[in-house]
Amino acid sequence: MVNVMKGVLVTCDGAMKQFLLHLDDTLKLGRKFIIQDLDDNHLFISADILDVLQAKIDDLMDQISFPLAEKGQ
Amino acid sequence: MKMNNIELPAEQTPEFSSVDETSLIVVIFDSNPGQKLLRDNPHILTHCLDSIIAFSNSHLMQKAQNKLAVMACHSKKSEFIFPGSGKPLDVRQIDGQYETFTLVEKTIKQNLAKHLAGESPMLNTESLLAGAIAMALCYIARLQRSKSPGCMLNSRILVVTGSSDSAMQYMNYMNVFFTAQKQNVVIDVCALDQHLSLLQQGCDITGGLYLKIPQLQGLLQYLLWVFLPEPPIRQKLVLPPPAKVDYRAACFCHRELIDIGYVCSVCLSIFCKFSPICTTCHTVFKIPPLAVKAKKKKIKL
Amino acid sequence: MADNGSSSTSAVLSLNKFSNLECKNLHDYLRTRPQNILEKLYNHPTICLAVYRELPELARQYVIRILFVEQPVPQAVVASWGSQAFSKEHVYVSKVLSELSVWQEASIPGGLLGWILSPTFKKNLKITLLGGGKPWSMSSALDTDNKARDVAFLDSYSLERWECVLHYMVGSQQQEGISADAVRILLHAGLMKRDEEDGSPVITRQGFQFLLLDRHAQVWHFILQYLDTVEQRGLDLVECLTFLFQLSFSTLGKDYSTEGMSQGLLVFLQHLREFGLVYQRKRKAGRFYPTRLAINITSSAANKSAPVLDDDTHKGYIVVETNYRVYAYTDSNLQVALISLFTELMYRFPNLVVGVITRESVRQALRGGITADQIIGYLKQHAHEQMLQDSRNPLPPTVVDQIKLWELERNRLTYQEGVLYSQFLSQADYNVLKEYAQTNGHLIWSHKEKRTLVINKCAHDDVKKFWKRYSKGS
């Protein structure tokens, strides 16, 4: 017997993967979304969470970046 | 199927390094009627000229931004025959040849004819190749200075000659070779008739190619094979390997190539015989204590 | 759940499909033409010259080496011309030459395979180089123009015409409008689209990307789009292409005759006139001047705007500082609009605009489908002369790197829609399925110990069928 599931394969670096796992664990997106943890750089997630996830990651990027240039005087 | 944010490794043409530089070539054509080759058979001049024109146009054909200058070199003076002085000829496209190429061909032929007509016929002296190279270097330097910033220019000089190089111009040759080396100008030499050891040194110094062509008939093909590729892509092609270069210097006193000689310790002038005063920097030397002779005497005793 | 997912992602996909401007060079363009058109095109010396110039440099050397050789040259001999270290390049170059049917395979007595130049191509390239063919169509003799135009005039004329098109695209009111024909081309090219409410054309993402290209690439892209529609207009594609290439190999500042041109070509000429590729005083003047836009039009896309040595009209106006500030010395609304695509504007003076590149402003541009390379390319291309003193990197490397990093951080995750197969009963089953998916190129990920594999979604049905057949059989 074979188990078949549809979803999205995510390829990322280790740090990003940990962040995704954290989001999954703490239910930050409202529910669990990781279907299977494949290896260090790959995750299999459900497809319908994608938009929310991308927005969340954008937020994260905004939080960890600092304005480089000084505006104004 | 891929979704957004994915950089598709699209089917790309492999990125091979290619030169986006403008390539300038200054062809120096030795058209001195006094050289042996032309004295024997004057028709060779037309043959060589046709080959050189075809070669020059092939160079312009490589890239739209490529540049060309052609010089004629004689025993009394050297002259630019392309681009000629004054207004460019008004040429119209006549037989399907690219207009620029027609212009090159017409200008070169016209200016060379003018140049040859002004030459007094029986002058059997050597061609002023070193002088011509110096003029070419000046021309290149001028273009380098006037080019717009951000534009890359690689320049080279191609000497096509049938005359022999004499040690008379040794100093001039060395000066232009080292100037060229400093300016990053490559000197290529195509010898039609005789082996040219001094010019070969120049090629070696500046990283250019030297070829004594075995057959005059195939001149164009040799030019296209060996001298058309611009220096940056030469490494990708298999070209004739450099032969052993004869690095003998000419003495300053008799202009003869020598293996062993005397060198002034102050200015490095070379002499084939010992002289008490250096003719270049006027340093006075003591007559060497003839140590060898002294030794010999000892043995005899 | 899975169904929902696919619908949302397909929406994303369709968005993505439109977001990038596809820029072809001459080579790509010709490769996609049918063989018979290619053969027809090679009957014209100008096209052979254009094709020759667009070949990779090694290929150019090969062609010129066998240009005067009548018999086929053994392939092994050709291979020996390139040095060992660059053998990959040799293979690539041979492929390009075959693709464009510049050379063909031919057998040599003795059973060897050789290369020989296509006879038409060879003949016409020789004509270009040495002459001996028919004159071009536009070279009839002309008496001198008593109101001859000089290069400076032509430059300003072509610039004005072309900017007119660009201004129209950004909808600035600085200039007069453009013809309905030009608008149709812009719409056809997808650079503009009809507004859903009032039907007036508005600029698209590709339009903005188009604006960021250098002038030569813009003209070339635009002309390609125009050529796509040429046949609908009842013009002959080969005729137009030939004329275009003749134009591109004409001399700036010289006048050419329209005598003997067909009706179709005269129409084509009027279109080119509108975009500023040629100058004509009057429609029926009988003569025209090609402008800088038309000269060497084909050499644009490949070598990225290598500046011409002399009389180049390079007028850079942008200064970028290491503190991410951008100073643009311009009063053109168009240029200001372009700069503001990826910078945050701060001050505006009569001849100067000051802005700053920020993460937000660059991300805004990236979201709009503009790539980091396009931004950097634009800044480089219009860099002020002061910036060009150091010709290797005209822009501060920190700024360049940072823009690239901002682009990369958007790509830390990549997504691929797929189907996960797991819990195989035996290693053999796993191997069979993996083998099958791999040979068909559908496998995206696999893990032997976990007996898990991920297969491309579009191949799911196919793999499922295979699996059913397989499990029945065993």
Side-chain angles (χ1 to χ4, degrees):
Chain A
M1 200 34 231
V2 178
N3 198 4
V4 179
M5 274 177 297
K6 288 183 182 172
V8 174
L9 178 80
V10 181
T11 313
C12 58
D13 51 290
M16 279 317 277
K17 191 195 140 185
Q18 289 310 318
F19 177 66
L20 293 188
L21 290 177
H22 169 76
L23 289 182
D24 192 55
D25 276 349
T26 52
L27 302 175
K28 279 270 164 60
L29 303 184
R31 59 181 173 86
K32 294 243 177 209
F33 61 93
I34 294 179
I35 299 173
Q36 195 162 345
D37 182 354
L38 298 176
D39 64 13
D40 287 348
N41 298 319
H42 293 89
L43 286 172
F44 202 72
I45 64 168
S46 56
D48 54 348
I49 201 80
L50 211 64
D51 293 336
V52 191
L53 178 66
Q54 278 180 332
K56 193 80 195 165
I57 290 168
D58 270 357
D59 281 354
L60 171 80
M61 286 301 175
D62 282 339
Q63 278 169 30
I64 61 172
S65 76
F66 292 88
L68 279 162
E70 276 177 46
K71 285 179 234 166
Q73 289 70 41
Chain B
M1 210 193 307
K2 293 197 168 190
M3 284 172 260
N4 64 337
N5 286 355
I6 301 177
E7 278 297 296
L8 264 174
E11 201 204 326
Q12 270 176 351
T13 48
E15 275 296 314
F16 293 123
S17 64
S18 73
V19 258
D20 260 356
E21 300 174 348
T22 304
S23 177
L24 164 71
I25 184 164
V26 183
V27 181
I28 299 177
F29 176 42
D30 185 353
S31 57
N32 183 2
Q35 53 188 309
K36 187 169 161 288
L37 196 65
L38 295 182
R39 273 203 320 259
D40 294 350
N41 182 1
H43 294 296
I44 288 182
L45 184 70
T46 357
H47 170 68
C48 294
L49 190 64
D50 284 340
S51 303
I52 285 176
I53 290 171
F55 169 77
S56 306
N57 283 337
S58 311
H59 169 71
L60 290 180
M61 190 163 83
Q62 298 300 308
K63 273 184 270 176
Q65 69 268 31
N66 274 3
K67 293 278 158 200
L68 170 77
V70 182
M71 291 176 72
C73 169
H74 274 222
S75 55
K76 281 252 172 80
K77 67 170 183 180
S78 305
E79 229 178 24
F80 277 95
I81 52 178
F82 180 87
S85 50
K87 225 173 122 245
L89 296 174
D90 182 46
V91 285
R92 288 273 162 204
Q93 220 273 323
I94 34 164
D95 57 354
Q97 191 183 21
Y98 178 22
E99 215 167 61
T100 317
F101 297 169
T102 319
L103 178 71
V104 169
E105 189 172 335
K106 290 240 167 89
T107 318
I108 291 182
K109 284 189 172 158
Q110 201 184 54
N111 283 335
L112 188 67
K114 228 189 283 169
H115 190 67
L116 286 174
E119 184 86 3
S120 51
M122 278 328 276
L123 260 178
N124 202 354
T125 42
E126 60 181 286
S127 313
L128 297 172
L129 284 175
I133 298 177
M135 271 175 83
L137 285 173
C138 293
Y139 179 79
I140 291 169
R142 196 180 79 210
L143 283 194
Q144 285 280 12
R145 220 180 357 221
S146 63
K147 71 180 177 156
S148 64
C151 162
M152 312 282 228
L153 180 70
N154 76 57
S155 343
R156 63 198 152 117
I157 298 173
L158 170 64
V159 183
V160 182
T161 176
S163 42
S164 59
D165 56 352
S166 71
M168 281 301 286
Q169 299 180 47
Y170 178 78
M171 281 299 286
N172 315 28
Y173 274 130
M174 286 306 139
N175 284 336
V176 291
F177 292 159
F178 285 106
T179 315
Q181 187 194 31
K182 211 164 178 185
Q183 305 260 31
N184 277 327
V185 175
V186 169
I187 298 181
D188 293 330
V189 175
C190 176
L192 302 179
D193 192 27
Q194 286 144 25
H195 175 72
L196 309 170
S197 70
L198 275 178
L199 282 166
Q200 194 184 10
Q201 287 183 31
C203 298
D204 199 52
I205 291 168
T206 57
L209 289 164
Y210 170 84
L211 182 73
K212 152 92 182 65
I213 59 162
Q215 256 189 327
L216 202 56
Q217 279 309 312
L219 176 61
L220 176 60
Q221 203 62 16
Y222 285 114
L223 288 175
L224 294 179
W225 271 64
V226 180
F227 298 109
L228 189 62
E230 51 186 297
I233 68 161
R234 285 186 181 170
Q235 47 160 339
K236 294 184 188 169
L237 292 164
V238 177
L239 293 168
K244 214 175 147 270
V245 183
D246 174 13
Y247 259 117
R248 279 184 307 164
C251 67
F252 286 26
C253 40
H254 305 88
R255 313 276 171 197
E256 268 162 22
L257 296 179
I258 51 173
D259 288 312
I260 299 175
Y262 293 84
V263 178
C264 167
S265 54
V266 178
C267 69
L268 301 181
S269 300
I270 303 159
F271 303 97
C272 58
K273 289 200 189 89
F274 175 78
S275 80
I277 296 173
C278 170
T279 50
T280 314
C281 65
H282 306 294
T283 312
V284 182
F285 296 107
K286 278 187 203 140
I287 295 177
L290 297 169
V292 186
K293 270 187 183 167
K295 229 180 189 176
K296 272 183 186 166
K297 272 178 193 165
K298 249 182 200 169
I299 295 165
K300 268 183 187 171
L301 276 172
Chain C
M1 172 174 135
D3 288 339
N4 287 343
S6 66
S7 69
S8 78
T9 45
S10 65
V12 176
L13 265 176
S14 60
L15 259 181
N16 194 36
K17 203 165 67 189
F18 290 108
S19 68
N20 277 325
L21 184 73
E22 204 190 341
C23 237
K24 284 177 172 174
N25 57 24
L26 177 68
H27 180 170
D28 296 335
Y29 177 73
L30 291 178
R31 204 167 38 181
T32 50
R33 294 307 101 179
Q35 188 69 34
N36 58 338
I37 289 206
L38 216 57
E39 196 56 38
K40 255 198 245 167
L41 285 174
Y42 286 164
N43 272 313
H44 301 276
T46 38
I47 295 182
C48 294
L49 177 57
V51 169
Y52 179 78
R53 278 203 175 150
E54 285 302 288
L55 291 173
E57 57 191 359
L58 209 52
R60 290 199 297 260
Q61 298 297 338
Y62 288 175
V63 171
I64 200 105
R65 281 182 172 197
I66 56 177
L67 185 62
F68 296 102
V69 180
E70 296 304 326
Q71 310 90 349
V73 180
Q75 294 188 352
V77 172
V78 177
S80 75
W81 289 343
S83 75
Q84 278 299 313
F86 295 89
S87 57
K88 260 200 202 131
E89 191 160 344
H90 167 79
V91 172
Y92 164 70
V93 156
S94 314
K95 197 177 114 229
V96 170
L97 286 172
S98 310
E99 266 174 1
L100 288 171
S101 16
V102 169
W103 71 11
Q104 298 150 356
E105 231 164 48
S107 57
I108 302 174
L112 283 167
L113 271 183
W115 294 115
I116 188 160
L117 286 185
S118 137
T120 357
F121 184 84
K122 176 150 101 181
K123 187 174 128 229
N124 286 297
L125 194 64
K126 271 192 195 166
I127 289 178
T128 327
L129 189 60
L130 307 168
K134 276 185 278 182
W136 298 358
S137 59
M138 57 189 201
S139 55
S140 314
L142 275 174
D143 35 319
T144 44
D145 192 350
N146 46 9
K147 283 183 206 139
R149 303 295 175 165
D150 61 353
V151 174
F153 173 82
L154 293 175
D155 275 349
S156 70
Y157 170 80
S158 60
L159 196 70
E160 185 199 311
R161 293 306 312 164
W162 188 250
E163 298 245 301
C164 218
V165 176
L166 302 186
H167 274 290
Y168 177 79
M169 287 180 68
V170 289
S172 76
Q173 302 300 318
Q174 254 180 8
Q175 241 113 9
E176 56 192 295
I178 58 172
S179 75
D181 235 6
V183 177
R184 246 188 315 239
I185 296 169
L186 289 174
L187 290 171
H188 169 84
L191 301 177
M192 297 186 88
K193 61 166 188 263
R194 294 238 175 252
D195 193 62
E196 272 159 26
E197 281 146 31
D198 59 352
S200 62
V202 288
I203 189 162
T204 60
R205 286 169 166 217
Q206 292 99 308
F208 278 119
Q209 296 182 6
F210 174 78
L211 291 175
L212 289 180
L213 295 174
D214 64 283
R215 176 110 336 140
H216 246 88
Q218 282 174 353
V219 175
W220 175 241
H221 184 77
F222 190 80
I223 289 292
L224 276 190
Q225 299 300 328
Y226 174 86
L227 288 174
D228 271 354
T229 64
V230 132
E231 267 158 345
Q232 295 163 21
R233 294 160 199 266
L235 302 179
D236 181 24
L237 178 66
V238 173
E239 198 182 30
C240 288
L241 266 177
T242 317
F243 179 70
L244 193 68
F245 288 133
Q246 288 187 359
L247 210 56
S248 93
F249 292 121
S250 52
T251 316
L252 188 65
K254 254 166 89 168
D255 52 344
Y256 292 89
S257 161
T258 57
E259 204 182 294
M261 280 167 65
S262 70
Q263 204 51 44
L265 271 189
L266 287 174
V267 174
F268 184 52
L269 186 69
Q270 286 311 314
H271 287 145
L272 294 182
R273 181 183 173 202
E274 180 181 356
F275 310 132
L277 270 72
V278 295
Y279 168 79
Q280 250 190 324
R281 198 159 44 243
K282 288 194 297 276
R283 193 177 258 266
K284 296 258 181 285
R287 70 175 82 228
F288 62 90
Y289 292 83
T291 69
R292 210 182 282 279
L293 290 183
I295 307 277
N296 289 326
I297 188 169
T298 53
S299 67
S300 58
N303 38 24
K304 297 207 169 50
S305 68
V308 193
L309 192 64
D310 42 15
D311 54 49
D312 186 33
T313 52
H314 186 275
K315 276 191 233 101
Y317 61 94
I318 298 178
V319 175
V320 183
E321 286 182 344
T322 47
N323 59 6
Y324 296 85
R325 287 223 184 185
V326 177
Y327 301 86
Y329 292 87
T330 178
D331 55 357
S332 143
N333 282 339
L334 173 68
Q335 285 166 347
V336 175
L338 286 179
I339 296 256
S340 68
L341 284 178
F342 52 85
T343 52
E344 207 170 293
L345 294 188
M346 290 155 64
Y347 322 113
R348 183 147 186 198
F349 302 106
N351 69 338
L352 170 70
V353 178
V354 183
V356 60
I357 297 179
T358 63
R359 179 169 175 275
E360 219 16 74
S361 71
V362 170
R363 279 171 65 88
Q364 181 78 33
L366 294 173
R367 267 197 292 271
I370 296 169
T371 66
D373 281 335
Q374 279 168 334
I375 297 176
I376 294 162
Y378 184 80
L379 290 174
K380 220 179 236 168
Q381 191 192 125
H382 295 284
H384 195 276
E385 259 171 65
Q386 288 290 314
M387 310 275 297
L388 292 171
Q389 295 303 337
D390 176 10
S391 59
R392 292 276 163 200
N393 4 298
L395 301 176
T398 44
V399 178
V400 173
D401 287 350
Q402 187 60 61
I403 294 177
K404 284 187 182 153
L405 285 175
W406 280 328
E407 184 183 48
L408 280 180
E409 79 170 32
R410 285 168 47 88
N411 300 332
R412 282 185 75 173
L413 300 180
T414 56
Y415 309 99
Q416 271 172 299
E417 262 188 304
V419 183
L420 181 85
Y421 288 68
S422 57
Q423 298 170 18
F424 285 91
L425 287 181
S426 73
Q427 194 71 31
D429 288 356
Y430 164 82
N431 284 342
V432 166
L433 204 62
K434 182 186 161 214
E435 229 16 63
Y436 177 76
Q438 202 156 27
T439 46
N440 289 311
H442 299 318
L443 188 73
I444 1 188
W445 184 87
S446 65
H447 196 284
K448 203 168 148 196
E449 278 74 41
K450 286 186 186 161
R451 284 189 201 160
T452 308
L453 30 100
V454 179
I455 282 162
N456 211 327
K457 189 180 164 220
C458 54
H460 178 49
D461 288 341
D462 183 39
V463 175
K464 200 160 72 183
K465 268 182 211 142
F466 170 79
W467 179 247
K468 283 211 176 113
R469 254 181 294 141
Y470 170 77
S471 33
K472 255 185 211 154
S474 55

